[in-house]
Amino acid sequence: MKKNNILIMISAAALLSSCGIYNKYERPEVNTTGLVRDVASATDTLAVTDTTSFGNLPWRSVFTDPQLQSIIEKGLANNTDMLNAALNVKMVEAQLTAAKLAFVPSFTFSPQGTISSWDGSKATKTYSLPINASWSIDLFGNLLNQKRSAQMALLATKDYQLVVKTNLIANIANMYYTLMMLDKQLEIVDNMTGLTKDTWDMMKLQKELGNTKETSVQSAEANYYSVLAQAADLKRQIRETENSLSLLIGQQAQTIGRGKLDNQSLPSEFSTGIGIQMLNNRPDVHYAEMTLAQCFYDVQTARSKFYPNITISASGAFTNSSGAGIVNPGKWLLSAVGSLVQPIFMNGQLVAGLKVAKAQQEQAYNTWQNAVLSAGSEVSNALVLYNSSDEKSKLEQKQIESLTKNVEYTKDLFAMGNSTYLEVISAQQSLLNAELAKVQDDFYKMQAVVNLYYALGGGRY
């Protein structure tokens, strides 16, 4: 008889295992070969073998400007999205606690008393002090899979918190560097304002001497006011960027203290790490995978609902009502009941629930795969932005040196009557555009560093 019972238990365990309701989540196969494009090679794939990723550096080691560090710390403490993300973690932690406590019997205490009198006779008093207990036996993994799903939900929520943090650090850094770029451009425009004013004055003098016409004076004047308009537009952009950054760090719109663009020092050597390491570093990629794991356990939960639900209920009451009469003092009344509920036909709800859970798991898998590809694409974009901006900045520096000489030579030639006013104005405008373009490309290099750090999952420490 004992052998038969053992065989029955082994057979039942094997059956449950084959149904998969106790299986644990395992990461699906994902090919990370060539996830990042080589910015120079024609093969389009980057064979990365290093294991120390640029994204593993603490954000303070990347963004070393003390004023920027202070702004980032303020943003991490006051940003609304950061505060809400922390509250989301607390809510999911509470849900996980509830899922764990589902394994423990539930208890209720519901005292009651009755006073009754029949046709004016002496009142009778009955009372009952019952304690009821109920315990669901998780033989088919329903509660277990719900708990595991809640655990994955907590991990996903913490990953989302890291997504918010990383994104916040990147946005603050980009806005900070944007302000310094605008400051530098405004400085260049202000310098050009003085130069164009000198040209205007020179044109007026040449007209008085009879060496040029009124049209040259008007063109020089228009060029001067055009540069002033550029300065006004840059001032507007600075104010708007300061307002946006103030909002991002949770303070009233105000002036943002900052350093100089020329004094910034950012890394110039990068390592992206191996592809599988990127999957673990990127909080949004890991978030997508934890969502997939949660859906996996939701499917297991939907499967377990096809099996019986076994519940043991017990109650104990101290009462003076025996049903047939009243006894004083009261006595203990104890009872226990076991029940088994096997779903047979529920209007297709269980089948539909399993189909929905499977479809949601497939959606989560697709989302995770897309997150992996997006991560590689963002790293590739950041690398090519850095390299192209660096190359353009070097070429623009040579262009500026040439145009600076051209402006000087053209003015000298005009003074000697060997050049036209249009050549002078054109040379000044070309120099201004080249200087502004170089500043913008220097900013793009800095932005590429920020983007790469974000794309590699940095900013967590």
Side-chain angles (χ1 to χ4, degrees), residues 34-37 39 54 163 166-167 170 272 278 282-285 370-386 447-458:
L35 190 60
V36 178
R37 292 185 67 180
V39 295
F54 173 61
V163 171
T166 303
N167 189 55
T272 59
M278 188 189 301
R282 281 280 297 240
D284 57 332
V285 174
N370 187 66
V372 173
L373 295 177
S374 296
S377 177
E378 289 174 11
V379 173
S380 300
N381 290 341
L383 288 173
V384 74
L385 176 62
Y386 183 89
Q447 189 179 52
V449 174
V450 177
N451 293 349
L452 180 61
Y453 193 59
Y454 171 81
L456 292 173

Side-chain angles (χ1 to χ4, degrees), residues 41-56:
S41 174
T43 61
D44 276 349
T45 57
L46 183 64
V48 185
T49 57
D50 59 318
T51 57
T52 302
S53 172
F54 173 61
N56 286 333

Side-chain angles (χ1 to χ4, degrees), residues 190-203:
D190 286 341
N191 291 337
M192 185 57 68
T193 300
L195 187 60
T196 53
K197 182 64 168 61
D198 292 341
T199 302
W200 182 21
D201 292 338
M202 182 180 67
M203 295 293 181

